[in-house]
Amino acid sequence: MTLKWKILIAFVTLYLIGVAGGGWHTYDSTSASGASPIVEAIKVVFIMLGGLGVILPTYLNVWQSLETADLLSDQARRNKVENTFSLLEKWDSTSLFEARKFTRELKEQHSKLSPDELKEKINKNPDLKQSAILVFNYFEWIRVSIENDRVDATVIGHSLGGVFHDMYDRFKPWIRDGDILFQNDLEKLSKLLAVPKP
């Protein structure tokens, strides 16, 4: 039996004892006066029972509100988990997989390229540029989702934090030529997906 019903039974039991006591007290105190003790005792008992009729629905409404709040909280948590896994699944979607193939090719050449050569290579190759834009748009989606508390930042960080930081560092020369808002957003994501120190 849940706490709600135990408290309710205990309260109603004590209240009914109080009603009986109130009725008994009224019966005893009115017997000396000219009024009928039974009628007065019945009046008091019904008034007190009317009070119970107000208290019980209020009590049940309070518990209903608490249970509804718990259900909504649980639903929000489930939605957050679902959004997290949905976002992680998109990383392996066909379009992003193809885009990552181009960026992986650049990774192999990264150590041999100067920042200017890297920018030139990206800007002269439309497929590579489109791939970089697509991948960083995905990371932007992650940032917006984390900032709006739609996903679990810890799970995202463990799954894609290292990948993001690797790509962010590798593409920094090209990123610095982009829009300042784009740079600021990636810097925010860099902090949100900070790799924890061991």
Side-chain angles (χ1 to χ4, degrees):
M1 189 182 296
T2 63
L3 180 64
K4 170 173 81 172
W5 298 113
K6 287 179 182 175
I7 292 172
L8 180 64
I9 289 168
F11 175 78
V12 169
T13 303
L14 291 172
Y15 195 91
L16 290 176
I17 291 169
V19 169
W24 186 263
H25 175 73
T26 304
Y27 182 84
D28 280 348
S29 59
T30 52
S31 59
S33 66
S36 169
I38 293 176
V39 172
E40 293 302 316
I42 290 172
K43 280 185 197 175
V44 168
V45 166
F46 278 112
I47 288 169
M48 291 178 78
L49 288 176
L52 184 62
V54 172
I55 293 167
L56 286 182
T58 304
Y59 173 82
L60 293 173
N61 281 339
V62 168
W63 275 99
Q64 175 110 25
S65 298
L66 292 172
E67 289 166 355
T68 302
D70 282 346
L71 285 172
L72 291 173
S73 174
D74 187 54
Q75 185 62 42
R77 186 188 58 77
R78 286 172 190 260
N79 287 344
K80 194 171 183 178
V81 169
E82 192 60 39
N83 290 339
T84 301
F85 284 104
S86 175
L87 194 56
L88 290 173
E89 282 175 4
K90 283 182 176 33
W91 181 245
D92 291 322
S93 67
T94 308
S95 58
L96 271 171
F97 183 78
E98 287 299 315
R100 285 172 19 229
K101 188 166 68 173
F102 282 107
T103 60
R104 274 195 301 272
E105 289 171 11
L106 186 63
K107 182 178 182 177
E108 293 165 8
Q109 305 164 13
H110 174 64
S111 58
K112 301 172 190 169
L113 297 173
S114 71
D116 288 336
E117 288 173 328
L118 178 83
K119 288 190 284 187
E120 186 180 347
K121 192 163 187 67
I122 294 170
N123 290 328
K124 283 191 173 179
N125 184 338
D127 289 333
L128 180 56
K129 186 173 182 178
Q130 187 58 38
S131 295
I133 289 169
L134 189 60
V135 169
F136 282 104
N137 280 346
Y138 173 77
F139 287 130
E140 173 65 6
W141 195 358
I142 288 177
R143 181 192 64 78
V144 170
S145 295
I146 291 173
E147 287 182 342
N148 288 288
D149 202 29
R150 290 189 71 248
V151 295
D152 187 323
T154 305
V155 173
I156 296 284
H158 284 302
S159 298
L160 293 175
V163 173
F164 167 74
H165 284 288
D166 178 53
M167 292 189 74
Y168 181 54
D169 292 338
R170 193 179 339 139
F171 282 87
K172 255 184 186 167
W174 175 72
I175 291 168
R176 285 188 185 121
D177 278 356
D179 181 63
I180 190 70
L181 187 61
F182 173 65
Q183 294 177 48
N184 291 341
D185 288 345
L186 288 175
E187 184 60 34
K188 285 180 197 169
L189 183 58
S190 176
K191 290 173 184 168
L192 289 169
L193 295 181
V195 179
K197 293 179 182 177

